[in-house]
């Protein structure tokens, strides 16, 4: 229990201390006019208060990610606490802050455009495809999951439930941001927080104590901590999906100094939620073996339902159903909205005009069709391919932030160090994982090291180029 409490305190301290360091290095200026005013269109660009923005951002980035992912990560034991704390403070929150603030500085640009601006057109071309794939996979996975539960607790069939969810998705993706998202998402965000805090309080009254820190791998199948834990717990530590969501809120911000509360703050809140559910998973079932059995019998949704109803009674059951249905839906619809925004930006960059609401709707149609088709596939299959894609997107965003800081003569290490770490994660994971090349762990590690060293070599060349450029500029000034 000491480890759990200490971890929560560290996350809170991370917000009050390290977020200010990150903000100072980035450099905010509230005299700059934000896109919510300079690009106002009544659809995506519209001012929203910072507290609403924070709750909307939390709901957009969270969904069931910090709940399901944390429960799966709890199979490794208390070592999961370390990754959630370190990942959230030094990687995830930094990633979210830069994805949001760089979008803010560039008129609400989408993630692929930001990547192209700092990493080049060739990387942008790959990321455009990868980002859209991630958005569609997330939207499909977060349609299938809630639809399955709706069909179980209501008279609706699975297909009818999917149609209901999709009808909402289309409305949320096409209506102005302050009509649906701005009004009901803060409420749902509050429900997410209330649910987590209630579970946390309930844990203190259990006979089984929350386990304290051990570096031992307690996974029943002895799956390696590196790199699987870092991909299993993505939301709640670092998630590339967040960089696709941050521009939605960047287009609604009233001033730059709100960025620390919205982007860094929402990620820390998500880390606390993940920490609570990881602790609940490894405590409620008496250890990782019991948790593994519960996951086999009822899946993550069944585990959430059992913990909630046991600790909170009838209220817990209601919260569990709300969580498993509403939270993924509210992430899926913003994934669809983001894909629509990305397509609009891409078409505009190709020289075509998107000057009417009708054209915006037409651009959304292909994404909706593909997403709907994917909902007919197995949910677990969809989710497997979200993980690695998600962390690659996060890694590229961190490198984008590092290059931005480098080009502006700022302390790039706050982005480049976590970027190197994440490069080693995704480089190793793809060779080892079942959805990857399924190679031996030792061979996967070697390939991961080679990839990481290659990327570090590239970055060192960028550092050298930046220093030479600065030196020549000084020479010109002197002469």
């Amino acid at each position: 229990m000491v480890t759990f409490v200490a971890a929560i305190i560290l996350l809170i301290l991370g917000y009050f201390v390290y977020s200010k360091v990150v903000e100072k290095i980035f450099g905010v200026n509230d005299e700059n006019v934000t896109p919510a005013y300079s690009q106002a269109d009544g659809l995506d660009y519209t001012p929203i208060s910072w507290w609403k923005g924070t709750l909307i951002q939390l709901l957009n980035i969270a969904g069931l990610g910090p709940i399901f992912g944390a429960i799966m990560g709890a199979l490794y034991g208390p070592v999961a606490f370390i990754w959630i704390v370190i990942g959230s403070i030094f990687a995830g929150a930094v990633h979210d802050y830069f994805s949001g603030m760089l979008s803010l500085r560039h008129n609400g640009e989408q993630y692929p455009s930001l990547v192209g601006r700092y990493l080049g057109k060739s990387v942008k071309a790959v990321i455009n495809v990868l980002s859209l794939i991630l958005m569609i996979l997330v939207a499909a996975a977060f349609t299938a999951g809630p639809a399955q539960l709706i069909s179980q607790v209501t008279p609706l069939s699975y297909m009818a439930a999917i149609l209901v969810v999709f009808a909402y998705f289309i409305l949320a993706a096409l209506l102005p941001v302050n009509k649906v998202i701005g009004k009901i998402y803060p409420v749902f965000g509050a429900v997410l927080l209330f649910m987590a805090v209630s579970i946390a309080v309930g844990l203190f009254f259990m006979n089984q104590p929350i386990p304290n820190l051990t570096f031992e791998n307690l996974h029943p199948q002895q799956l390696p901590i590196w790199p699987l834990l870092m991909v299993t717990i993505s939301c709640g530590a670092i998630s590339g999906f967040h960089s696709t969501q941050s521009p939605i809120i960047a287009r609604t911000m009233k001033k730059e100094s709100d960025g620390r509360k919205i982007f860094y703050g929402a990620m820390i809140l998500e880390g606390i939620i993940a920490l609570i559910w990881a602790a609940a998973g490894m405590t409620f079932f008496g250890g990782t073996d019991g948790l593994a059995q519960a996951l086999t019998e009822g899946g993550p949704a069944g585990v959430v339902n059992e913990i909630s109803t046991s600790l909170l009674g009838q209220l817990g059951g209601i919260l569990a159903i709300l969580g498993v249905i509403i939270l993924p839906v509210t992430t899926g619809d913003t994934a669809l909205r983001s894909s629509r925004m990305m397509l609009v930006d891409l078409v505009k960059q190709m020289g075509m005009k998107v000057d009417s609401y009708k054209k915006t709707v037409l651009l959304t149609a292909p994404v909706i069709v593909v997403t709907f088709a994917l909902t007919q596939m197995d949910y677990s299959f969809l989710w497997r391919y979200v993980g690695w894609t998600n962390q690659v997107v996060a890694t590229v965003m961190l490198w984008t932030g590092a290059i931005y800081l480098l080009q502006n003569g700022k302390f790039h290490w706050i982005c480049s160090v976590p970027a190197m770490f994440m490069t080693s994660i995704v480089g190793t994971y793809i060779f080892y994982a079942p959805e990857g090349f399924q190679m031996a762990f030792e061979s996967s590690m070697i390939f991961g090291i080679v990839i990481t060293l290659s990327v570090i070599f590239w970055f060192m060349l960028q550092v050298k180029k930046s220093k030479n450029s600065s030196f020549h500029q000084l020479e010109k000034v002197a002469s």
Side-chain angles (χ1 to χ4, degrees):
M1 185 172 292
V2 173
T3 303
F4 174 67
V5 174
I8 290 180
I9 292 172
L10 285 173
L11 283 171
I12 295 171
L13 286 175
Y15 172 74
F16 284 107
V17 178
Y18 196 64
S19 69
K20 293 181 180 179
V21 173
V22 173
E23 181 184 59
K24 185 175 182 180
I25 292 171
F26 181 84
V28 297
N29 184 356
D30 282 342
E31 293 184 3
N32 292 336
V33 179
T34 64
Y37 298 105
S38 64
Q39 308 290 321
D41 63 359
L43 179 62
D44 297 316
Y45 294 90
T46 182
I48 291 178
S49 63
W50 72 264
W51 67 268
K52 279 189 177 181
T54 301
L55 287 172
I56 294 169
Q57 174 74 358
L58 175 63
L59 203 63
N60 287 355
I61 66 176
L64 284 178
I67 300 177
F68 281 13
I71 287 171
M72 298 294 289
L75 288 171
Y76 292 90
V79 69
F81 294 159
I82 301 175
W83 168 235
I84 291 171
V85 172
I86 294 177
S88 294
I89 295 172
F90 298 106
V94 174
H95 165 279
D96 290 13
Y97 184 82
F98 274 83
S99 62
M101 294 304 291
L102 287 178
S103 176
L104 183 74
R105 284 281 175 88
H106 296 295
N107 293 319
E109 274 189 2
Q110 288 293 298
Y111 165 72
S113 298
L114 294 174
V115 170
R117 183 181 290 274
Y118 292 102
L119 299 184
K121 293 181 179 179
S122 58
V123 180
K124 179 185 176 181
V126 175
I127 287 300
N128 259 318
V129 175
L130 197 64
S131 299
L132 281 171
I133 289 173
L134 177 60
M135 293 301 94
I136 291 169
L137 284 172
V138 168
F142 282 5
T143 301
Q148 287 175 355
L149 185 58
I150 290 173
S151 65
Q152 292 172 11
V153 299
T154 71
L156 294 176
S157 66
Y158 175 66
M159 182 55 68
I162 282 182
L163 292 174
V164 169
V165 173
F166 247 87
Y168 167 76
F169 274 13
I170 294 169
L171 283 174
L174 294 176
L175 286 174
V177 68
N178 61 342
K179 295 299 181 183
V180 176
I181 293 174
K183 291 187 182 298
I184 65 173
Y185 276 34
V187 177
F188 291 155
V191 169
L192 177 64
L193 287 172
F194 177 76
M195 185 178 180
V197 171
S198 298
I199 294 297
V201 172
L203 288 176
F204 286 100
F205 293 95
M206 286 185 62
N207 294 327
Q208 182 78 16
I210 302 171
N212 284 315
L213 180 61
T214 171
F215 293 97
E216 183 183 358
N217 182 358
L218 300 180
H219 198 290
Q221 300 173 7
Q222 285 300 300
L223 295 177
I225 293 173
W226 177 284
L228 298 188
L229 176 61
M230 291 76 183
V231 176
T232 302
I233 303 181
S234 53
C235 291
I238 177 171
S239 168
F241 178 70
H242 299 185
S243 62
T244 66
Q245 301 302 291
S246 295
I248 294 176
I249 304 302
R251 296 182 179 193
T252 69
M253 288 171 58
K254 293 183 176 181
K255 56 183 180 179
E256 289 192 354
S257 60
D258 287 342
R260 185 173 70 89
K261 291 172 281 192
I262 294 172
F263 301 118
Y264 201 103
M267 182 62 234
I268 292 298
L269 285 174
E270 187 184 48
I272 292 173
I273 292 169
L275 199 68
I276 290 169
W277 280 102
M282 65 183 77
T283 304
F284 185 83
F285 298 98
T288 56
D289 289 326
L291 174 59
Q293 184 178 347
L295 285 168
T296 301
E297 293 173 354
V303 168
V304 171
N305 184 55
E306 187 172 350
I307 292 174
S308 300
T309 52
S310 297
L311 292 182
L312 306 176
Q314 187 176 1
L315 173 62
I318 295 171
L319 288 174
I321 292 174
L322 282 173
V324 177
I325 293 177
I326 292 176
L327 297 180
V329 167
T330 54
T331 299
D333 64 4
T334 50
L336 204 61
R337 189 181 190 91
S338 293
S339 61
R340 186 260 294 168
M341 291 162 67
M342 287 178 187
L343 275 176
V344 169
D345 283 359
L346 183 60
V347 168
K348 286 180 178 178
Q349 289 161 17
M350 294 169 63
M352 299 171 64
K353 289 186 177 180
V354 185
D355 51 5
S356 69
Y357 186 70
K358 182 178 179 180
K359 289 182 179 179
T360 299
V361 173
L362 289 173
L363 280 173
T364 310
V367 179
I368 292 173
V369 171
V370 175
T371 304
F372 184 81
L374 286 175
T375 60
Q376 307 308 303
M377 300 176 68
D378 179 62
Y379 175 82
S380 60
F381 173 83
L382 287 173
W383 193 247
R384 271 207 315 270
Y385 285 90
V386 169
W388 182 75
T389 308
N390 184 48
Q391 297 304 62
V392 170
V393 168
T395 304
V396 173
M397 184 63 238
L398 284 171
W399 283 121
T400 301
I403 293 296
Y404 162 79
L405 293 172
L406 187 64
Q407 290 179 357
N408 287 274
K410 298 183 178 183
F411 190 76
H412 65 77
W413 297 106
I414 61 170
C415 283
S416 56
V417 169
M420 294 174 196
F421 179 82
M422 290 305 299
T423 300
S424 65
I425 293 293
V426 298
T428 304
Y429 183 88
I430 193 61
F431 290 101
Y432 179 73
E435 62 270 29
F437 296 104
Q438 302 180 31
M439 296 175 63
F441 180 70
E442 292 76 12
S443 301
S444 303
M445 286 288 290
I446 292 171
F447 277 106
I449 291 169
V450 170
I451 290 171
T452 304
L453 291 176
S454 300
V455 174
I456 290 174
F457 178 73
W458 161 80
F459 184 67
M460 289 300 102
L461 290 178
Q462 305 309 307
V463 172
K464 184 177 180 181
K465 188 187 299 183
S466 177
K467 287 181 178 178
N468 288 339
S469 176
S470 299
F471 178 74
H472 290 313
Q473 287 178 357
L474 287 173
E475 279 190 326
K476 287 181 181 180
V477 171
S479 59

